[in-house]
Amino acid sequence: VKELFSSLGVDCNILELDQLDDGIRVQEMLTEITNQKTVPNIFVNRVHVGGCDRTFQEAAILGKRVLVLDFVVPSPQGTSWGLGGTCVNVGCIPKKLMHQAALLGQALQDSRKFGWEYNQQVKHNWSTLTEAIQNHIGSLNWSYRLSLREKGVTYVNAYGEFVDHHKIKIQQLERGSPGKLKVWAKSTEGPETMEEVYNTVLLAIGRDSCTRKLGLEKIGVKINEKNGKIPVNDTEQTNVPHVYAIGDVLEGKPELTPVAIQAGKLLARRLFGASSEKCDYMSVPTAVFTPLEYGCCGLSEEKAIEVYKKENLEVYHTLFWPLEWTIAGRDNNTCYAKIICHKPDSDRVIGFHILGPNAGEITQGFAAAMKCGLTKQLLDDTIGIHPTCGEVFTTLEITKSSGLDITQKGCG
Amino acid sequence: MAAMAAVLRGPGRRFRWRTQALAGGVRGAARGVAAAQLGRKVAVVDYVEPSPQGTKWGLGGTCVNVGCIPKKLMHQAALLGGMIQDAHHYGWEVAQPIRHDWRKMAEAVQNHVKSLNWGHRVQLQDRKVKYFNIKASFINEHTVCGIAKSGKETLLSADHIVIATGGRPRYPTHIEGALEYAITSDDIFWLKESPGKTLVVGASYVALECAGFLTGIGLDTTVMMRSIPLRGFDQQMSSLVMEHMESHGTQFLKGCIPTCIKRLPDGQLQVTWEDRTSGKKDTGIFDTVLWAIGRIPETRNLNLKEVGVNINPENQKIIVDAQDVTSVPHIYAIGDVAEGRPELTPTAIMAGKLLAQRLFGQSSDLMDYNNVPTTVFTPLEYGCVGLSEEEAVARHGQEHIEVYHAYYKPLEFTVAERDASQCYIKMVCLKKPPQLVLGLHFLGPNAGEVTQGFALGIKCGASYAQVMRTVGIHPTCSEEVVKLRISKRSGLDPTVTGC
């Protein structure tokens, strides 16, 4: 620890307890204040940090020399953005906010059934929405820059490039925002063709890794030529020992923000913090924020059958009707919950799936439970919180194999 | 209200039943249905004594008629009001004026509740459970006598009798005008007209939830509390719940107790109260006064003493053992009426099902009443499972627990420019590695949905380490639970920043 501080150029006050007359009393006081009996016992700016391990971890935050290179290549349409990556600028954040705008439209409709009265004429203003969202994103960009600065991280713009291919033909009929585009497309299954005019065509046919123009070949870092992804071992090391990769560029790992963040944190701790904890990529929960949200953790039914064989699985499922949908007059057989249990292993829950409102909020806790070895029995033994959607998992009875009807007839 | 589930005995004998349950609403119905499914002859006896204001309702018990269901629907109505406000930030153009019509909401809620009453009746019928809408009490250990509205008497005897009569709101009968002029949760959900300017007396979750949705739909609402909010819940969380309500339009009269209610010539109510600290008296005028000062079990009119079923004289609840058996071997009690049980619908339902299985299904499974999760549906919802911080400290000692906490901001609040000051999470753990999670407390939107899965985690014996190894779902509020890093002990700022 003394070496660490010295290498960071940090002045510290060192108390050698075995050289003090009242060293034992000091150690007793320390135990009382900090609940730590051992030495070294470290305080920084009057705040108790801990012992050796903890200090090394914090050192990663306290002062390793770090450089961040980030550059946003404008999209073909010319869109660019600030610091923060996909999630903040063109992913999770704006996506969820626009999703919320849409949900609020639905809420406006529901509200009338709950007694709210206002003019029937309700319109949506796109630019109000985008301005509000972009302001929020701007504040996040700013806070990241501040954060980097505060932690003494150097931030430099670096240049990268990637290309895209389209398999449909699009002709611009009219310029403008929005303009008019004529689209010709053909079916992938038959001879049918279609022709339609749209204001906007949005391609969402997958994402490519930004690895081709990094000069990786110059330093010998292997990538998967087909998809540009970088294969790594379980400590995120590439084939070149001092080069690591995390996040969406990784081969075979979920393309999710929290996974990338977790991997990065753990990597820093392993490199500089005397930790050996690896990132656990198994059973990563996620949610698809479609109008009807879908939350899941673990295996899909198809994958479970593939891995464990159908006879070793029991699938419990049910349709359910959120209470708030009753008065709103929304359908009672749309929301759906399903768990996949591995019979030979005490009916361990290996797949969790929910289709319904707030699916992300519901799924998170169950993901933690699955990490702790959730079984069907434990679900049955747990009391539900009433009235919620999540409680449906504590009362699952009907199996797919029974073929019994799961349609709801209305009652709670 | 007395609802019973009775299991019928013997073929051909009309009024002889194998098991009969005096069951309240959901519990009794669940119990009855469960027993019937196991091949027994069952009867359910249910009766709703009208409230002092004359309110009554159908089959289904408190939860369905005057509890969870109408409460959550009215809470939703209030939340939707907030969403209409949010909507304009998100680009929706909604013209003023925006107002709320109580009658429309009440009718919709009441219709839904009635459809549930109907659903329960159909369910009982489908399972061949006999339903008696009569007010019953014990004649002897195996027989109850029920009186129908018409005055007709029915005798029912059974091998097993389950009491699940639940409870009713308490009235402060020593306060002048309390019974004649004020209402309770029994009445609020059935009002045809808006309650208008309302005084809610009490600090229970019933008081705060009602005051919450009344404020949310635009009514002038005041809560009068004798002392602390949400007694029995984690007090730090309870203060934050109250703080949120205060900063969002609910008025609070703290440390006050009402002394009398008078009706004025124009129909409004004049309430006089006393400030307990200063001794000062004050008065106010309200359209409605709602008592939410606790509930008392429905045991007074069952004639329990006659048959030797013991109750706790302090709270009038029926004393039961771990198998839900009362002091009389074949008489059982479940739900709110039983001593030492959490007063929650799902626990009552599960207790009923397990009891039926133990009696007739060769099971010996008992209820586990530990770590029962629950949620208070105040304007900012509070979900919790396990120990409060105070309980953890009392049980293990301050030095043996570690509390991780965070103030966070739901993404949806940003664009909506909503105040997130009280959005807060805390996880109470044992300090010793692996740091077993003793309790989780979540204050924020959709708290019930967030808490349910973590309750499962706690049931699986989750440790802090395991929760932290769980990857978050982004962007949600619940992911903040698996990102808790700052301990109270460290003294560091627990405000979450950035992504």
Side-chain angles (χ1 to χ4, degrees):
Chain A
V1 172
K2 289 180 194 168
E3 256 176 50
L4 171 66
F5 279 121
S6 159
S7 75
L8 292 172
V10 172
D11 259 330
C12 51
N13 210 336
I14 302 177
L15 270 174
E16 304 279 6
L17 294 183
D18 57 351
Q19 291 169 15
L20 288 179
D21 281 337
D22 55 354
I24 295 185
R25 277 228 42 226
V26 174
Q27 192 154 14
E28 276 167 13
M29 273 319 284
L30 282 174
T31 309
E32 211 180 291
I33 307 173
T34 66
N35 209 34
Q36 180 186 331
K37 294 194 177 79
T38 55
V39 286
N41 196 335
I42 296 106
F43 293 78
V44 175
N45 287 333
R46 291 166 163 250
V47 175
H48 179 242
V49 175
C52 182
D53 280 356
R54 205 52 224 284
T55 304
F56 269 88
Q57 285 166 20
E58 295 302 326
I61 311 168
L62 279 174
K64 286 292 168 180
R65 293 176 64 201
V66 184
L67 171 71
V68 167
L69 299 164
D70 184 51
F71 190 86
V72 178
V73 177
S75 77
Q77 295 295 332
T79 316
S80 179
W81 50 87
L83 183 61
T86 298
C87 169
V88 165
N89 295 287
V90 284
C92 322
I93 303 299
K95 171 270 292 290
K96 191 95 189 298
L97 290 169
M98 290 206 173
H99 173 62
Q100 177 69 354
L103 290 179
L104 286 170
Q106 180 70 69
L108 285 169
Q109 281 180 40
D110 288 356
S111 69
R112 297 188 205 274
K113 300 266 174 58
F114 281 83
W116 290 98
E117 292 179 343
Y118 46 91
N119 196 314
Q120 279 301 323
Q121 265 254 25
V122 170
K123 290 166 60 248
H124 186 262
N125 184 321
W126 174 261
S127 36
T128 306
L129 176 61
T130 50
E131 192 182 320
I133 293 177
Q134 278 152 29
N135 282 343
H136 177 63
I137 293 176
S139 76
L140 291 177
N141 298 141
W142 179 245
S143 76
Y144 282 119
R145 296 209 53 173
L146 260 175
S147 182
L148 289 181
R149 203 178 304 164
E150 275 169 19
K151 306 277 166 83
V153 176
T154 314
Y155 162 57
V156 173
N157 266 199
Y159 183 72
E161 201 173 71
F162 67 98
V163 294
D164 221 333
H165 291 290
H166 302 297
K167 286 204 177 91
I168 58 178
K169 172 173 138 178
I170 308 175
Q171 177 194 34
Q172 185 177 68
L173 298 178
E174 230 175 71
R175 293 184 138 261
S177 194
K180 270 214 196 113
L181 303 170
K182 188 162 188 185
V183 180
W184 288 264
K186 70 182 282 287
S187 165
T188 50
E189 276 154 27
E192 295 90 34
T193 59
M194 63 144 272
E195 212 176 279
E196 187 78 54
V197 176
Y198 295 94
N199 294 121
T200 305
V201 173
L202 183 142
L203 302 168
I205 53 175
R207 297 174 66 77
D208 284 337
S209 315
C210 297
T211 50
R212 313 275 186 185
K213 298 232 166 149
L214 297 179
L216 291 176
E217 66 284 356
K218 297 187 192 141
I219 58 172
V221 172
K222 287 211 176 68
I223 66 171
N224 179 327
E225 285 305 326
K226 267 213 219 88
N227 57 21
K229 293 221 174 189
I230 305 177
V232 293
N233 63 12
D234 63 359
T235 55
E236 285 89 28
Q237 226 175 8
T238 66
N239 63 310
V240 177
H242 67 278
V243 179
Y244 303 82
I246 54 171
D248 290 9
V249 292
L250 292 193
E251 173 96 273
K253 304 285 188 262
E255 288 184 18
L256 297 168
T257 298
V259 170
I261 295 180
Q262 179 94 316
K265 281 196 174 137
L266 294 178
L267 177 62
R269 288 197 202 142
R270 286 196 307 273
L271 291 178
F272 309 116
S275 157
S276 53
E277 196 186 337
K278 299 182 205 170
C279 188
D280 186 351
Y281 291 98
M282 294 300 293
S283 290
V284 172
T286 188
V288 181
F289 295 101
T290 26
L292 191 61
E293 299 178 5
Y294 166 41
C296 60
C297 183
L299 301 176
S300 66
E301 199 174 332
E302 300 85 359
K303 191 76 191 185
I305 293 174
E306 188 190 308
V307 174
Y308 293 104
K309 302 286 180 299
K310 202 166 185 179
E311 57 269 21
N312 290 318
L313 301 175
E314 192 74 87
V315 178
Y316 294 86
H317 68 156
T318 188
L319 290 163
F320 65 93
W321 199 19
L323 179 63
E324 294 75 11
W325 284 28
T326 54
I327 295 196
R330 298 212 233 166
D331 186 59
N332 64 339
N333 283 300
T334 299
C335 297
Y336 180 73
K338 146 171 117 172
I339 55 167
I340 304 163
C341 301
H342 187 212
K343 290 200 284 202
D345 181 21
S346 312
D347 269 342
R348 188 88 38 203
V349 177
I350 57 171
F352 173 97
H353 303 267
I354 179 162
L355 189 61
N358 303 303
E361 305 295 2
I362 295 172
T363 304
Q364 182 72 83
F366 284 94
M370 283 170 73
K371 249 217 186 341
C372 304
L374 184 65
T375 61
K376 178 65 170 62
Q377 185 63 52
L378 282 163
L379 274 171
D380 292 346
D381 289 343
T382 302
I383 311 278
I385 298 173
H386 188 64
T388 60
C389 295
E391 67 175 313
V392 80
F393 287 96
T394 62
T395 53
L396 288 171
E397 272 172 3
I398 299 179
T399 61
K400 266 202 182 182
S401 55
S402 71
L404 290 170
D405 183 20
I406 53 170
T407 53
Q408 296 296 295
K409 288 151 187 76
C411 191
Chain B
M1 146 186 38
M4 301 203 252
V7 172
L8 309 179
R9 151 215 289 187
R13 300 295 230 71
R14 243 209 304 161
F15 295 124
R16 319 248 334 142
W17 314 83
R18 182 155 262 173
T19 300
Q20 177 180 31
L22 282 157
V26 268
R27 308 175 274 283
R31 171 75 186 72
V33 164
Q37 281 179 305
L38 291 165
R40 302 294 150 163
K41 288 179 87 183
V42 188
V44 166
V45 181
D46 182 49
Y47 187 83
V48 178
E49 187 76 54
S51 76
Q53 296 295 332
T55 315
K56 52 186 168 40
W57 49 88
L59 183 60
T62 300
C63 167
V64 164
N65 294 286
V66 285
C68 325
I69 303 299
K71 173 268 297 284
K72 189 104 191 290
L73 288 169
M74 292 202 174
H75 170 63
Q76 176 70 356
L79 290 181
L80 284 166
M83 288 188 234
I84 299 175
Q85 297 303 321
D86 287 354
H88 97 261
H89 292 277
Y90 281 84
W92 290 101
E93 292 172 351
V94 180
Q96 293 289 338
I98 302 171
R99 53 171 300 274
H100 184 262
D101 180 7
W102 173 274
R103 261 175 291 180
K104 183 127 195 252
M105 174 185 73
E107 192 183 320
V109 171
Q110 286 151 26
N111 283 342
H112 179 65
V113 169
K114 287 178 188 157
S115 76
L116 294 178
N117 297 142
W118 181 246
H120 279 297
R121 293 207 53 172
V122 168
Q123 206 189 25
L124 289 183
Q125 222 163 310
D126 284 349
R127 315 287 177 147
K128 304 207 175 12
V129 174
K130 205 98 173 61
Y131 165 55
F132 294 91
N133 186 216
I134 56 180
K135 186 173 168 177
S137 57
F138 283 92
I139 301 236
N140 62 49
E141 282 185 7
H142 284 282
T143 316
V144 300
C145 172
I147 306 176
K149 247 187 355 194
S150 58
K152 171 165 170 242
E153 266 189 25
T154 308
L155 280 179
L156 301 165
S157 66
D159 287 346
H160 301 276
I161 301 184
V162 179
I163 306 171
T165 48
R168 295 294 286 264
R170 172 186 295 137
Y171 276 85
T173 44
H174 60 284
I175 296 176
E176 186 189 325
L179 262 165
E180 305 91 298
Y181 306 128
I183 64 169
T184 67
S185 57
D186 278 356
D187 308 294
I188 184 99
F189 304 110
W190 295 92
L191 295 179
K192 293 278 186 285
E193 301 295 329
S194 169
K197 180 179 175 188
T198 305
L199 173 68
V200 176
V201 181
S204 58
Y205 73 81
V206 174
L208 297 186
E209 286 176 344
C210 287
F213 70 69
L214 290 173
T215 308
I217 58 174
L219 298 176
D220 181 343
T221 311
T222 306
V223 175
M224 185 183 294
M225 323 192 311
R226 207 167 56 123
S227 63
I228 60 172
L230 298 175
R231 186 178 298 275
F233 286 89
D234 185 288
Q235 280 304 292
Q236 179 194 16
M237 305 306 291
S238 305
S239 307
L240 288 170
V241 165
M242 193 171 69
E243 230 177 77
H244 176 91
M245 289 177 69
E246 272 179 298
S247 55
H248 287 76
T250 308
Q251 293 136 92
F252 280 83
L253 288 166
K254 299 179 196 170
C256 296
I257 45 172
T259 50
C260 114
I261 306 182
K262 284 196 170 74
R263 171 172 265 151
L264 299 176
D266 64 357
Q268 287 192 298
L269 302 173
Q270 183 179 62
V271 182
T272 313
W273 64 85
E274 185 183 298
D275 181 319
R276 294 173 74 214
T277 340
S278 65
K280 265 184 38 195
K281 282 198 163 40
D282 208 343
T283 68
I285 301 191
F286 302 91
D287 295 316
T288 303
V289 175
L290 184 143
W291 302 117
I293 55 173
R295 296 176 67 79
I296 42 183
E298 278 280 73
T299 48
R300 288 156 301 168
N301 303 313
L302 298 179
N303 229 4
L304 294 177
K305 228 185 181 158
E306 276 275 306
V307 294
V309 172
N310 293 336
I311 60 170
N312 178 337
E314 269 172 49
N315 59 20
Q316 311 298 311
K317 291 202 174 196
I318 300 178
I319 300 172
V320 291
D321 65 14
Q323 268 100 351
D324 303 316
V325 186
T326 66
S327 46
V328 179
H330 62 276
I331 300 180
Y332 312 84
I334 55 172
D336 291 10
V337 81
E339 166 96 280
R341 307 299 188 219
E343 288 183 16
L344 298 168
T345 298
T347 51
I349 294 181
M350 198 186 270
K353 285 193 174 143
L354 290 177
L355 178 60
Q357 278 166 22
R358 284 198 306 272
L359 290 182
F360 309 117
Q362 283 116 18
S363 156
S364 55
D365 286 346
L366 294 175
M367 260 301 267
D368 180 6
Y369 287 102
N370 283 318
N371 295 324
V372 174
T374 189
T375 298
V376 181
F377 293 101
T378 28
L380 195 63
E381 300 175 0
Y382 165 36
C384 58
V385 55
L387 303 179
S388 66
E389 193 174 339
E390 304 89 277
E391 277 170 337
V393 168
R395 218 181 267 204
H396 300 278
Q398 178 94 52
E399 62 280 14
H400 294 296
I401 63 163
E402 193 78 89
V403 180
Y404 295 94
H405 65 156
Y407 282 96
Y408 68 97
K409 187 165 192 173
L411 178 62
E412 293 77 6
F413 277 36
T414 56
V415 165
E417 292 176 22
R418 283 220 208 187
D419 175 23
S421 312
Q422 289 86 26
C423 290
Y424 177 77
I425 307 171
K426 103 176 148 179
M427 192 184 286
V428 181
C429 311
L430 280 179
K431 193 163 198 291
K432 195 172 78 153
Q435 301 195 303
L436 186 72
V437 179
L438 301 171
L440 176 68
H441 302 265
F442 178 93
L443 189 52
N446 303 303
E449 305 298 3
V450 171
T451 307
Q452 182 71 81
F454 288 104
L456 263 303
I458 288 182
K459 219 169 185 66
C460 298
S463 65
Y464 173 72
Q466 281 171 310
V467 177
M468 291 311 122
R469 277 205 293 275
T470 308
V471 180
I473 298 174
H474 187 67
T476 60
C477 297
S478 57
E479 70 175 309
E480 299 300 338
V481 177
V482 306
K483 288 161 66 182
L484 291 171
R485 292 294 182 278
I486 309 278
S487 67
K488 275 198 177 183
R489 182 173 272 122
S490 71
L492 293 168
D493 178 11
T495 309
V496 171
T497 49
C499 212

